[in-house]
Amino acid sequence: MYFPHIFVEGKIGTCVLKNRLIMSLYPTKYSTDSKVNERMIEFYRERARGGIAMIVLDCPCLDFPRAYKGPNELRFDMLEFAEGIKRLLNVIHSEGVKAFMQLNYPKERIFDHEVPGAKQKGNVWVAPMIKIMTTAEAEEILQIMANGAKRAMELGYDGIEVQASYGDLISQLLSPLSNKRTDEYGGSIENRMRFLIKLIRLIKQEAGNDVPVMVKLVCDEFVDGGLTLQETTVVAQYIERAGGDAILANGGNKATKRMTIPSHYLPPGPLVHLARGIRKVVAIPVIAVGKIYTPEFADKILKEQDADFVAMARALIADPYLPRKAEAGMVQDIRFCLSDLEDCADKGVKGLGRSCTINPFSGQEYRLKISPASEKKKVVVVGGGPAGIQSAILASRRGHGVTLYEKGKSLGGQLHLACRAPFKDGINEFCRYLRDSLAKTNVKVILGKAVSPEEILSQKPDAVIIATGSKSFIPSIPGIDLPFVFTVRSIYEKATVIPGDNIIIIGAGDIGCETADMLSSESKTVTIVELCNEPLMRMKEIPKQELLNRLQEKGVSIITTCKVMAIKNGKVLIEDKRGPAKELKADSVIASVGSIPENSLYDALKDKVKEIYRIGDAKEPGNIGAALRSATEVGVKM
């Protein structure tokens, strides 16, 4: 048996789980009218089919309209809304998977007029509940939440997860940093946990004593003056005495989200020690969470008794079938999460919502289907980067005859370059996954050949997919052609040793800043010049702050709102929008101002073949996710 500590039955209260893997809450924000839709149904159906034991679902609005967040938030207060939730639960249950509802209440209240303690945001005033909530209102909210738990169980949920982490209302009450109340809900740890303990007891009273209640507990805020594990071990014991059936050991608050949602800058399992600490003081099951992406690591956590269950979310966004593949010993077939937080965090992808950098089907399961092609075609794919490989795999799986040409000696394209940046070694694994996936198809791969238009036409293909990537954009700056000026891509392609101690990087985008991180050292002074008002404008909040902190610690200077006017021997002339021009000392200059599509082959063929498509950077330069999505759109429909 593979991973014997994972694939063994477990219990949370009265709820029996088929294995020890839980999908922790992932707020999809897919609803557009507060109802469950096909997009949500198919998203969760895929995760349920993948073999997870339990899925935690987002909390519908418990207090409509007073605490309603808008159409992205589900409702279940009326039959027209509840029916969709029942259908979703039936889909999850049909795969032998349990579903818990996270129980939460907004940490803020919105008013259309000024009130004491509120701050104006646009045309409304927003007040933190922890400051304005009276004891009477606290009792009211407790009853609202308990009633919500009862409603959830009536609709068919299998249990409740109380949200007491991530800087939400209950975790704010627990925290000595945010809780400055002087009533029965503030002061001592006993007072600060009073709301949570009352809630657990009230849920059991209203929804039934046998209702499984799991608490997602902030066990350490990772900030001076905040909650620490020493204090939360006390909270955990009270949770157990109050009737709590399990504790998910979470960490961080709104100021330390880097710990709550660890990016590629943190090592695997940065919160596991919290589960270990809680498990020492309670007898109820404890769940570990936080960047646990491989079955080997999950099994190790369980084997060493650091936790009784393991929770993951992003790992299942990247590969819903991770549990099934692990159980079958097919670890090499798992698409492992990159932890980049590019397409799954915040608002996700513009115009698309939350998705996944390496899984283009994530959130699109309802419309992207891999079905047999009605007409089998002869397909030529040019370019063996991620977009070319993805399109070739899908076309082959649909029954087309596919030949892929790559001018280089190996497949992967710019993935070979991207993985050289600090903390990007996960891209190597993804590149391996793509190559292995391609090898399992009937695609004919020809390496080391820059195929000509004439050769492609001689094969009389029915369709040609151009995935030839992009090339560096060279800005029109006097001196850009001097020998000490490099394109950022050449730094990675040729592993160029950058001469001199003073390095100027033009462009503070992702690649420019990551290159500064790679090149900066005690002996080199790195300065980034950026035309826009701020660096890393496209990067999501958590990895952005992580990278900026690293650059600051390394002494990298970032000069914004500045234009490079000229490059001369030993210096770069820049003009500040807010002041006079000045000189920067420069031994080497690196241009990192974007890419442009490489489309010469497309231009030569576009009027000569029946079907021709551009995908990836050849269509529009972007990240890995954009390349894979454009390839997938073509691959499933051509």
Side-chain angles (χ1 to χ4, degrees), residues 490-542:
S490 72
I491 304 298
Y492 291 90
E493 287 175 339
K494 301 172 184 177
T496 305
V497 176
I498 306 300
D501 297 330
N502 296 287
I503 301 170
I504 305 297
I505 297 176
I506 306 172
D510 300 16
I511 299 174
C513 288
E514 287 174 353
T515 303
D517 186 19
M518 179 174 69
L519 296 177
S520 57
S521 66
E522 290 182 5
S523 62
K524 292 187 183 292
T525 301
V526 180
T527 302
I528 309 174
V529 181
E530 170 59 47
L531 184 62
C532 297
N533 295 330
E534 60 177 287
L536 297 169
M537 292 186 69
R538 295 182 183 179
M539 191 176 279
K540 295 298 194 298
E541 178 188 355
I542 294 173

Side-chain angles (χ1 to χ4, degrees), residues 388-406:
I389 295 174
Q390 176 78 354
S391 65
I393 289 170
L394 294 175
S396 178
R397 287 177 63 184
R398 296 187 62 223
H400 298 306
V402 184
T403 301
L404 185 152
Y405 290 92
E406 165 54 43

Side-chain angles (χ1 to χ4, degrees), residues 65-245:
R66 183 173 59 170
Y68 182 52
K69 299 178 194 173
N72 289 140
E73 182 181 34
L74 292 176
R75 290 172 58 187
F76 62 4
D77 52 309
M78 297 171 62
L79 185 61
E80 63 178 301
F81 299 102
E83 287 301 319
I85 290 177
K86 285 182 180 179
R87 184 181 166 214
L88 174 59
L89 294 173
N90 287 337
V91 164
I92 293 172
H93 289 153
S94 69
E95 301 294 338
V97 179
K98 305 298 184 182
F100 275 38
M101 184 191 85
Q102 185 175 92
L103 189 67
N104 201 3
Y105 194 89
K107 67 180 184 295
E108 298 172 331
R109 183 157 287 169
I110 299 173
F111 299 88
D112 59 5
H113 59 280
E114 187 174 1
V115 297
K119 291 184 178 180
Q120 188 171 5
K121 291 186 179 180
N123 296 325
V124 298
W125 281 259
V126 179
M129 292 297 299
I130 194 167
K131 290 184 178 180
I132 67 167
M133 181 176 68
T134 64
T135 53
E137 285 173 322
E139 296 297 323
E140 179 192 13
I141 291 169
L142 282 166
Q143 191 63 54
I144 287 169
M145 295 180 78
N147 290 343
K150 180 180 180 182
R151 175 68 168 151
M153 300 308 294
E154 290 169 349
L155 290 178
Y157 288 91
D158 300 290
I160 300 298
E161 178 186 78
V162 175
Q163 169 64 304
S165 68
Y166 200 53
D168 285 343
L169 177 60
I170 296 177
S171 62
Q172 287 187 357
L173 286 165
L174 288 170
S175 172
L177 275 178
S178 53
N179 188 347
K180 303 301 181 183
R181 298 173 69 96
T182 56
D183 60 6
E184 64 185 274
Y185 294 108
S188 67
I189 184 61
E190 289 77 16
N191 282 357
R192 284 183 277 124
M193 75 171 86
R194 190 182 303 278
F195 187 97
L196 171 59
I197 302 307
K198 277 187 175 182
L199 178 60
I200 295 168
R201 290 174 175 151
L202 197 55
I203 291 169
K204 296 282 185 172
Q205 177 184 312
E206 296 293 333
N209 198 52
D210 59 346
V211 169
V213 175
M214 178 169 75
V215 177
K216 190 173 190 177
L217 180 66
V218 53
C219 298
D220 194 323
E221 292 187 279
F222 299 107
V223 63
D224 289 344
L227 278 169
T228 63
L229 183 59
Q230 182 179 359
E231 205 169 25
T232 51
T233 52
V234 176
V235 178
Q237 293 173 70
Y238 274 85
I239 288 171
E240 182 175 26
R241 290 176 206 151
D245 297 293

Side-chain angles (χ1 to χ4, degrees), residues 306-355:
D306 288 333
D308 302 282
F309 292 86
V310 167
M312 51 181 65
R314 287 176 293 163
L316 299 167
I317 307 305
D319 194 335
Y321 288 84
L322 183 154
R324 284 200 187 280
K325 292 175 182 178
E327 189 172 18
M330 300 165 58
V331 176
Q332 292 297 302
D333 291 342
I334 296 173
R335 187 194 298 112
F336 290 111
C337 175
L338 297 181
S339 307
D340 58 11
L341 296 174
E342 284 192 14
D343 295 348
C344 63
D346 300 336
K347 294 181 180 179
V349 180
K350 187 176 182 180
L352 193 66
R354 291 190 165 186
S355 184

Side-chain angles (χ1 to χ4, degrees), residues 383-385 389 404 406 408-413 416 431 435 438 445 447:
I389 295 174
L404 185 152
E406 165 54 43
K409 295 180 180 180
S410 63
L411 295 169
H416 292 304
C431 190
R435 290 195 305 265
L438 183 66
V445 178
L447 297 175

